[in-house]
Amino acid sequence: MAFLPPTISQFQAQFPRDFRYGPGLDSVTPNDIQAAINEGQGLFNPNLWSDDIANFATVISGDVTSGSTTVANLSNVDGLAAGQTITGSGSEIPAGTSIDFVGLNSLIMSAAATQTITQDTLTIGGPSGYTVSESQIAYLYLTAHLLVMSLQAAGGTGAPASAKGQYSSGGGIIQSKSVGGVTVNYAFPDYVINSPTLSLYLRTGYGQKYLTMLLPKMAGRRVFVVGGEPFVPSDVPNPFLPVP
């Protein structure tokens, strides 16, 4: 599928409790969200991401018999395993039925079929459950980060917590976050902390989440200029260059 920036409704569905949505002065409006999405288009590179939505469904055929949990004469059993869901071409397999056992060319279901169909079309498994691609999820966290930074700029570091999102630090690099009784500590390499570009994402929990998704994609694709690296004088052979 082609990459598409997230929508306002997708953002609100991803962060239903993190921001106060509405028309009030202390609320996040659809225009605020769209502005953050638009700002992200200048920073987000979809070419770094795999934007395929995983689908684990396998379509096979087999004989189902009314009153029986056995499906015989399967066209293929590769990848089938106990616990996977199974559905038929109609209502002949009860909703919520799963595989209990896989044989050489047959399987046993957790519920009996209600009709007899020879070489019924069977779907094993199903969509991964993601409503948006990995790239769009990352973009949503980037949008949340940019939205929080915009709110901080508008309200200053003294802005009320409700105007900054529950994972905002109020400015500066955050080291951990706590939600309920769970605390998560963040640890990023020095090249991120010292990078004038990447370190900006460390100011919010949303930005740090975005970085944890982004950095594995960037390996080998970009060169980071890290402050404090030792200087190699011109009269000293550079170990990173080939020997003439």
Side-chain angles (χ1 to χ4, degrees), residues 37-150:
I37 292 173
N38 294 342
E39 184 181 358
Q41 291 191 41
L43 300 174
F44 190 83
N45 180 6
N47 293 327
L48 289 175
W49 301 82
S50 170
D51 54 282
D52 293 328
I53 299 178
N55 190 315
F56 300 107
T58 300
V59 178
I60 59 175
S61 60
D63 299 340
V64 298
T65 303
S66 179
S68 174
T69 58
T70 298
V71 181
N73 300 318
L74 293 175
S75 60
N76 185 18
V77 295
D78 293 342
L80 303 190
Q84 294 173 324
T85 59
I86 178 171
T87 57
S89 56
S91 60
E92 68 278 8
I93 297 178
T97 300
S98 60
I99 297 175
D100 279 349
F101 176 79
V102 178
L104 293 178
N105 68 341
S106 64
L107 62 82
I108 296 177
M109 303 183 295
S110 61
T114 60
Q115 301 176 46
T116 297
I117 301 177
T118 300
Q119 288 301 287
D120 190 13
T121 299
L122 307 170
T123 301
I124 311 298
S128 63
Y130 292 109
T131 56
V132 291
S133 67
E134 181 187 22
S135 55
Q136 288 174 312
I137 294 173
Y139 200 140
L140 287 169
Y141 277 99
L142 172 62
T143 299
H145 165 77
L146 295 172
L147 181 59
V148 168
M149 296 301 292
S150 176

Side-chain angles (χ1 to χ4, degrees), residues 185-197:
N185 295 313
Y186 294 105
F188 285 90
D190 288 341
Y191 75 80
V192 173
I193 297 174
N194 295 329
S195 167
T197 302

